[in-house]
Amino acid sequence: MTTLPDFEAWAIFAKVAEAGSFTRAAADLGLSNPTVSKAITRLEARLGTALLHRTSRRLSLTRTGEGALEHARRILAEGEAVEADASAQATTPRGVVRLAAPMSFGVAHLAPILPEFLQQYPQVGIELHLGDEQDDLIGGGFDLALRIAALADSSLRARRICAVRRPVVASPAYFERHGRPTHPRDLADHAALIYTNMPTPQLWRFHHPREGDYAVPVRGSLHVNNAEALGPALLAGIGIAVQPEFIVWRDLAEGRLEAVLPDWEVTPIALNLVSPPGVLRPARVTALADHLVRHLSAAAWAASLDASPPATA
């Protein structure tokens, strides 16, 4: 079986040779004399030969010790450099952050706020992966991910940024032709535009503060796995859809779409920032996380439903 080199003992040997005594080396390293002496003894036993000549007054290198000293010095220097670099990265934002986000949200709302961050932290790079599937953070090597969902319990760290409402919307022309639903059961008679990347795409679930829960099966001719792709069909008056407000907020505010069933809430979800478990994370990750929360928690779409034209019966 192959065993790892005793890096600690080699580093201690380099320091002993530099200091000229066990006592001074121990003081420089913050170790006890016995710890330093045992490390050298352990190393010599492993090599089967002495590295140092010991007398009551001084230490000197054996021929083997002289030959090994330069290598040991490099081990000590490399170890110190690794720790210094890692410590600097832990306190000064630099390096690459791997970030995952949903496709439509990432293009429309995440990408626009990244240039400011990159200008503020020129030593930080971002690898952004966009997709509507939920990536395996740990297996995929991601530092952070934005997820729009009701999160299941897991070992991941999660930070809720804001709620994401999902109104039932269609164009004014569609409602003129087909009428405006006043109860979720009415949706069974409408042409639904269906987003498939959800647990029950053809069963829409609602909650009312007084009437409780209601689930209605829906049918439609367009099924997509990206909610933004429903936009053209909605604007053309083809059907009715449940859409996240961050996609439809401008169309609602400018009257191209209208929301109905204001007292009925589709099962609530939220925009969450998740990261792998663990208390410590590099400064670059913390800096980006704070940047995302600061900007996205003040989302422009938050007031979109309040600003949209009222639906009429």
Side-chain angles (χ1 to χ4, degrees), residues 263-276:
D263 296 328
W264 289 88
E265 182 182 44
V266 176
T267 304
I269 55 176
L271 173 62
N272 302 278
L273 183 65
V274 299
S275 58

Side-chain angles (χ1 to χ4, degrees), residues 101-105 131-134 146-149 164 166-167 169 191-205 218-231 233-234 239-248 266-267 269:
M103 179 66 74
S104 296
F105 184 86
D132 289 331
E133 70 283 356
Q134 287 201 358
L146 289 169
R147 288 186 175 169
I148 301 171
V164 177
R166 291 183 291 172
V169 299
L193 303 174
I194 298 171
Y195 172 58
T196 59
N197 196 17
M198 55 192 304
T200 57
Q202 293 179 260
L203 186 69
W204 293 357
R205 301 179 184 274
V218 296
R219 295 172 297 172
S221 58
L222 180 60
H223 297 67
V224 303
N225 67 352
N226 181 283
E228 193 171 21
L230 295 176
L234 276 170
I240 190 168
V242 171
Q243 287 283 75
E245 57 193 334
F246 63 80
I247 288 179
V248 297
V266 176
T267 304
I269 55 176

Side-chain angles (χ1 to χ4, degrees), residues 171 238 308:
S171 70
I238 302 300
S308 60

Side-chain angles (χ1 to χ4, degrees), residues 250-270:
R250 287 190 186 277
D251 291 324
L252 287 167
E254 295 172 9
R256 289 184 293 271
L257 294 177
E258 294 180 7
V260 292
L261 304 176
D263 296 328
W264 289 88
E265 182 182 44
V266 176
T267 304
I269 55 176

Side-chain angles (χ1 to χ4, degrees), residues 23-82:
T23 300
R24 284 195 293 273
D28 290 345
L29 295 170
L31 301 174
S32 66
N33 279 9
T35 298
V36 171
S37 179
K38 287 177 182 177
I40 301 302
T41 300
R42 183 172 74 241
L43 195 55
E44 290 176 328
R46 179 168 179 156
L47 297 172
T49 187
L51 295 170
L52 297 167
H53 293 300
R54 302 166 176 82
T55 68
S56 59
R57 294 187 177 182
R58 63 188 296 269
L59 293 175
S60 61
L61 294 170
T62 66
R63 186 178 298 272
T64 301
E66 290 175 351
L69 179 58
E70 185 58 33
H71 296 291
R73 282 174 173 162
R74 285 203 295 269
I75 289 172
L76 176 60
E78 288 293 329
E80 290 174 337
V82 167

Side-chain angles (χ1 to χ4, degrees), residues 269-288:
I269 55 176
L271 173 62
N272 302 278
L273 183 65
V274 299
S275 58
V279 176
L280 299 176
R281 57 189 183 189
R284 63 181 180 273
V285 177
T286 299
L288 180 57

